[in-house]
Amino acid sequence: MASSAAAPSRSEVLSLFRSLLRTARDFSDYNIREYVRRRTIDAFRENKSLEKVSSIVAAYSEGRNQLQVAKRQSVVYSMYAPSIKSVMEVKGSSGSN
Amino acid sequence: MAMKAAVLRHVRLPASAAASRTLGLASPASGRWGGVFGSVFRSLSSHGDDHLSKDEVVDRVLSVIKSFPKVDPSSVTLDVHFQKDLGLDSLDNVEIVMALEEEFKLEIPDLEADKIDSTRLAIEYIYNHPMAG
């Protein structure tokens, strides 16, 4: 029984992109936050010119799964957030003092 | 008693049609950010003077856009279209709006964010937003 899913619309894809970037902001850990951002942007760019409907549908559902993973992880990580911020987040600190 | 009257005088809303129409405008789906809404809201707000000046909004919006890696800073002007003039695509558009959200500590709903596709619209939206910081 083959179910042919319809390709997601442009606005659905952009909405998924935005949701992933928003979820990235929920991470208190700088490294994970930046990774989610980078990976999201890279993946969407890579798949930007997909033509086959089945590939588009597969990429879109993969994106949605990843969004769920990221959302769950942001909750888990927030339970064990370290109290010390990464050095990249310390504003105004300039090298040596 | 006099205190109550004095407080009520300050809080009492203008009974004009324009005000009641704009104050009923709570839903984001209306999308009408016209100056009337912005100015009525601002005059009733208890925040007073801590709303951003137009110049500050313009400066900060332009600097956010100029610091976007794919953008040529010299081509960023007050009314430049992200996709048509700066050669960006829709993904970049989303990224830029997110960067603006972070700069001004706002949360822009998707419906409104999709409409922001030029510096002019970005400046207008942020300037009229009561919570821009």
Side-chain angles (χ1 to χ4, degrees):
Chain A
M1 186 173 67
S3 58
S4 53
S9 71
R10 179 199 195 80
S11 66
E12 282 176 319
V13 171
L14 290 177
S15 176
L16 177 63
F17 185 62
R18 196 179 285 122
S19 302
L20 278 159
L21 292 180
R22 282 195 198 287
T23 306
R25 295 205 287 221
D26 292 340
F27 281 96
S28 48
D29 183 327
Y30 169 84
N31 291 316
I32 302 175
R33 193 163 63 228
E34 286 302 303
Y35 169 73
V36 176
R37 255 188 69 92
R38 237 188 0 254
R39 185 74 189 95
T40 304
I41 293 169
D42 289 351
F44 273 77
R45 292 229 160 266
E46 198 185 310
N47 294 331
K48 197 171 106 157
S49 26
L50 285 179
E51 301 260 340
K52 254 177 78 174
V53 174
S54 56
S55 320
I56 297 176
V57 169
Y60 182 71
S61 75
E62 172 69 15
R64 291 193 65 168
N65 288 337
Q66 293 301 313
L67 175 62
Q68 294 310 311
V69 170
K71 281 184 166 172
R72 280 195 299 268
Q73 288 304 308
S74 73
V75 172
V76 171
Y77 270 93
S78 69
M79 296 178 197
Y80 301 98
S83 46
I84 306 170
K85 291 255 169 226
S86 150
V87 69
M88 300 295 292
E89 295 180 306
V90 180
K91 282 195 183 356
S93 69
S94 55
S96 59
N97 43 329
Chain B
M1 286 294 278
M3 173 70 141
K4 179 181 170 188
V7 171
L8 281 178
R9 225 178 298 126
H10 279 284
V11 169
R12 182 144 299 146
L13 310 172
S16 67
S20 52
R21 193 186 344 118
T22 56
L23 288 167
L25 247 186
S27 66
S30 64
R32 292 269 234 102
W33 283 98
V36 186
F37 177 68
S39 61
V40 169
F41 195 101
R42 255 178 277 130
S43 63
L44 292 174
S45 145
S46 58
H47 291 283
D49 297 323
D50 62 2
H51 194 269
L52 299 175
S53 72
K54 188 78 181 269
D55 286 339
E56 192 184 340
V57 172
V58 168
D59 280 343
R60 286 164 67 185
V61 167
L62 292 186
S63 74
V64 165
I65 296 169
K66 284 180 191 175
S67 50
F68 195 71
K70 291 184 204 170
V71 165
D72 170 19
S74 57
S75 53
V76 178
T77 63
L78 283 176
D79 194 2
V80 66
H81 198 275
F82 299 149
Q83 293 178 44
K84 292 188 209 147
D85 301 324
L86 296 177
L88 303 173
D89 65 11
S90 51
L91 294 178
D92 296 318
N93 210 346
V94 174
E95 275 188 66
I96 284 187
V97 174
M98 298 280 293
L100 288 170
E101 279 188 9
E102 275 154 41
E103 170 68 21
F104 291 95
K105 302 185 193 46
L106 294 175
E107 184 91 9
I108 305 178
D110 285 8
L111 222 57
E112 299 296 328
D114 283 341
K115 294 184 202 152
I116 299 176
D117 58 2
S118 68
T119 46
R120 188 178 56 80
L121 288 175
I123 291 167
E124 207 174 292
Y125 181 91
I126 291 168
Y127 183 61
N128 285 325
H129 201 296
M131 303 289 290

